[in-house]
Amino acid sequence: MSRFYPHPIIAREGWPFIGGGLIASVLITLWAGWWSLPFWLFTVFALQFFRDPARTAPQDADAVLSPVDGRIVVVEHAPDPYRQVESLKISVFMNVFNVHSQRSPIDGTVTAVEYTPGKFVNADLDKASTENERNAVLATTRSGREVTFVQVAGLVARRILCYTQAGETLRRGERYGFIRFGSRVDVYLPTDAQAMVAIGDKVSATETILARLPLTAPETVETQPDAAAATVAADTADYREQAEVIATETLPRAEVAQSDIEASAEKVRQAVEKEFGA
């Protein structure tokens, strides 16, 4: 199945449903007249559900695009469960009246595709990200930034379709999957990404910019030693020397055991750490 535009404005995934509904509607109309109304309603619903219009993608190099139509339900910093790193998580919830074709939010290369079986709770709930059936695409942008986008099944959705695999390249706006019927997509970005949407916003696949992701990761800044910790270390060394002198002066005629000196120094170190809150 081609993932590139132009393609029929009605997704191929829906052709069997629409065709079957249309045939049934016509036949039942001929045999039973108005009793065919429910079948016509189903056919119209299927027609609108599987619509898949072409979209124009912004070409901003740092733009991460919305992979689907829907409503923003999550914008927060959270762990990326597939890469085990902290990330900016943005989730888009799709109801049954949204376009359900999934499109790549970036230009990049797929590094892995991970499917996880699960439940079918309401995709609008936060726990859907960890409990529902889902399929994650791990990709790397052309400049080397790592992005994860996850198809999550919903209360009614019972089928996740993914047409890409590890090693393939994706272009922004390119179709890579479909979910039937009602679901969500979670996008995990590096923490230096800047969200361009807020909870409650309505977004359009490919046309809406979810976030701005710098082309290069920020440089790691070496942290300086904590001043209080440095002070404690210095004071501990001084008090240790004092402990050795005190122990030696206290027992002038006996050989002071090294273990006794170490014990005294340890007590002094603990007292200093308690004083400085280290």
Side-chain angles (χ1 to χ4, degrees):
M1 181 180 295
S2 174
R3 303 195 303 268
F4 300 95
Y5 291 105
H7 66 80
I9 60 174
I10 302 300
R12 291 182 174 89
E13 293 87 348
W15 289 2
F17 295 91
I18 298 170
L22 182 61
I23 293 174
S25 298
V26 172
L27 293 177
I28 295 177
T29 297
L30 296 175
W31 292 338
W34 286 103
W35 290 103
S36 64
L37 182 60
F39 294 89
W40 283 110
L41 292 176
F42 170 80
T43 303
V44 172
F45 168 77
L47 189 64
Q48 72 83 30
F49 181 88
F50 287 102
R51 68 192 188 282
D52 194 9
R55 301 281 174 78
T56 301
Q59 295 303 308
D60 309 38
D62 63 345
V64 178
L65 310 182
S66 178
V68 288
D69 289 5
R71 173 173 54 87
I72 300 296
V73 293
V74 173
V75 179
E76 65 181 12
H77 282 86
D80 179 338
Y82 301 93
R83 301 184 188 274
Q84 305 301 319
V85 297
E86 194 66 17
S87 68
L88 171 64
K89 177 183 178 181
I90 301 178
S91 298
V92 184
F93 172 74
M94 297 171 281
N95 61 38
V96 294
F97 299 105
N98 292 130
V99 173
H100 276 60
S101 175
Q102 279 86 61
R103 313 172 192 213
S104 176
I106 59 167
D107 293 323
T109 302
V110 177
T111 56
V113 176
E114 299 183 14
Y115 170 78
T116 304
K119 302 178 182 179
F120 298 95
V121 301
N122 187 351
D124 199 10
L125 302 177
D126 289 341
K127 64 181 181 179
S129 294
T130 56
E131 295 186 7
N132 280 17
E133 176 180 321
R134 53 200 179 276
N135 188 77
V137 175
L138 285 70
T140 302
T141 68
R142 291 176 178 176
S143 62
R145 308 307 307 275
E146 294 182 332
V147 177
T148 305
F149 32 104
V150 188
Q151 300 167 287
V152 182
L155 183 64
V156 182
R158 299 285 163 162
R159 184 72 188 278
I160 294 177
L161 303 174
C162 183
Y163 305 126
T164 190
Q165 58 187 352
E168 293 187 345
T169 58
L170 290 174
R171 300 183 310 193
R172 60 182 65 200
E174 177 183 345
R175 300 178 83 244
Y176 76 89
F178 201 95
I179 309 178
R180 305 190 299 244
F181 292 85
S183 49
R184 72 189 275 170
V185 172
D186 297 329
V187 180
Y188 296 92
L189 304 169
T191 54
D192 60 319
Q194 180 181 2
M196 304 301 293
V197 293
I199 294 176
D201 288 353
K202 292 184 178 180
V203 297
S204 298
T206 302
E207 294 180 340
T208 301
I209 297 178
L210 286 186
R212 298 283 183 182
L213 179 62
L215 299 183
T216 57
E219 295 182 2
T220 302
V221 179
E222 295 184 1
T223 58
Q224 298 298 323
D226 183 80
T231 301
V232 170
D235 288 345
T236 300
D238 292 339
Y239 281 113
R240 179 170 181 172
E241 293 179 1
Q242 293 179 21
E244 293 178 354
V245 173
I246 293 172
T248 304
E249 291 178 350
T250 304
L251 301 174
R253 296 182 180 180
E255 182 178 356
V256 180
Q258 181 64 27
S259 60
D260 292 336
I261 296 175
E262 293 290 340
S264 299
E266 179 61 18
K267 292 180 179 179
V268 173
R269 185 186 67 79
Q270 292 177 0
V272 174
E273 288 183 345
K274 183 177 182 181
E275 178 66 19
F276 284 86

